[in-house]
Amino acid sequence: MNVKIFDTPAQVASALARRVADALREKPDVVLGLPTGRTPVAMYAELRRLHAAGEVDFGRAVTFNLDEFAGVDASHAGSFRRFMEQHLFAAVNLAPQRIHFLNGAAADLDAECKRYEQEIEATGGIDLQILGIGANGHIGFNEPGDELVSRTHRVTLAETTRRDNAALFRGDPSRVPREALSMGMGTILKAATLILVAMGARKAPCIERTINGPLTPHLPASFLQLHRRAELYLDRDAASLLTTRSVR
Ligand code: GLP
């Protein structure tokens, strides 16, 4: 894995935004896989700024988001769809038909997962997938456990994950849905390039295991080791448990 370490979270965000901007310039119809969470917020702010300055054009791009809570529709204040509207979609020139999202309010959630998987296939696959990492090592909403599901599927959220996402639900973990829909690790690993982003000391133990540990469903991020083009964008704190040797 190609590990890049930056002094500050702001530097991570601007390097990432530049990376996305370069991808858009090289391939205007690039298919982007996008994450939610606190980690990408500053990257999205920088992309909005670059777009406003006329430096980034999303006109032909296509996006797929990683995951969504079950039982919430796109207009729900806690939905990832709303998060994306606020942080990116409303401020850039992405046509609605080019934005792809799992519908957490679909009547048949299993059919919704199949539809999403087929839609990704139909566009020819994801070119550049950006990923955050949960404090428990989850990727998208692929939670640690005895086994992982390869394709887009329904997930029961870990209690720690519900607590970590409480801010979207008025700070109350009990309001966070118990289930979600998520691309599977197999879906994610099919992307041509993966970029995992992590900031802060809380992520450091998982990042160390992601790079140096064994492949295990108990740390879904460890499966990134199988990918031929996986890049890690870390700030110093997230990288604090890596030795020089492991970074090389
Ligand atoms: C949620 C998302 C993940 C994301 C994680 C990390 O659980 N489903 O895709 O990586 O949050 O969140 P944060 O960036 O806030 O630490």
Side-chain angles (χ1 to χ4, degrees):
M1 288 193 272
N2 181 349
V3 182
K4 298 176 204 289
I5 301 171
F6 300 85
D7 284 332
T8 65
Q11 287 172 1
V12 177
S14 78
L16 268 172
R18 269 202 314 276
R19 181 78 169 77
V20 174
D22 288 347
L24 280 158
R25 271 190 287 270
E26 272 162 36
K27 188 180 180 202
D29 59 349
V30 69
V31 182
L32 298 171
L34 299 175
T36 53
R38 285 160 289 251
T39 306
V41 164
M43 170 193 74
Y44 290 137
E46 181 62 9
L47 282 173
R48 295 196 305 270
R49 193 190 68 74
L50 289 172
H51 177 71
E55 290 177 44
V56 176
D57 180 8
F58 286 88
R60 291 174 57 203
V62 173
T63 68
F64 283 89
N65 263 78
L66 273 170
D67 47 14
E68 180 59 286
F69 293 105
V72 302
D73 66 22
S75 65
H76 189 287
S79 71
F80 283 159
R81 175 66 198 234
R82 263 289 278 280
F83 174 99
M84 289 303 301
E85 287 295 335
Q86 284 163 3
H87 290 282
L88 186 70
F89 297 159
V92 300
N93 62 331
L94 254 174
Q97 65 272 18
R98 294 179 176 272
I99 295 172
H100 298 271
F101 235 94
L102 281 154
N103 175 11
D108 181 340
L109 293 176
D110 293 317
E112 173 62 8
C113 291
K114 272 206 187 107
R115 176 195 69 80
Y116 205 60
E117 195 73 34
Q118 282 163 2
E119 238 170 43
I120 296 172
E121 290 276 323
T123 59
I126 293 169
D127 294 306
L128 180 61
Q129 173 69 60
I130 300 169
L131 301 164
I133 181 169
N136 66 356
H138 74 219
I139 294 289
F141 271 139
N142 292 279
E143 297 282 27
D146 292 339
E147 49 193 41
L148 288 171
V149 180
S150 178
R151 298 290 159 227
T152 303
H153 61 292
R154 282 170 85 153
V155 188
T156 300
L157 296 177
E159 285 310 310
T160 53
T161 300
R162 293 180 70 218
R163 275 202 301 278
D164 286 349
N165 281 279
L168 294 169
F169 294 85
R170 292 190 256 159
D172 181 355
S174 74
R175 289 181 190 271
V176 179
R178 291 182 187 281
E179 281 195 309
L181 309 181
S182 177
M183 286 186 198
M185 283 311 297
T187 319
I188 291 165
L189 288 169
K190 274 171 122 181
T193 299
L194 298 179
I195 299 184
L196 178 67
V197 194
M199 301 172 192
R202 193 165 168 244
K203 304 284 173 73
C206 278
I207 290 299
E208 196 279 329
R209 287 168 60 212
T210 295
I211 295 173
N212 299 321
L215 285 188
T216 166
H218 293 282
L219 186 78
S222 64
F223 281 78
L224 268 55
Q225 291 176 25
L226 295 174
H227 201 278
R228 294 173 68 182
R229 298 183 70 179
E231 302 168 23
L232 269 78
Y233 279 56
L234 309 173
D235 73 348
R236 289 230 163 265
D237 289 340
S240 57
L241 297 178
L242 301 176
T243 61
T244 318
R245 200 174 123 255
S246 67
V247 171
R248 264 196 226 113

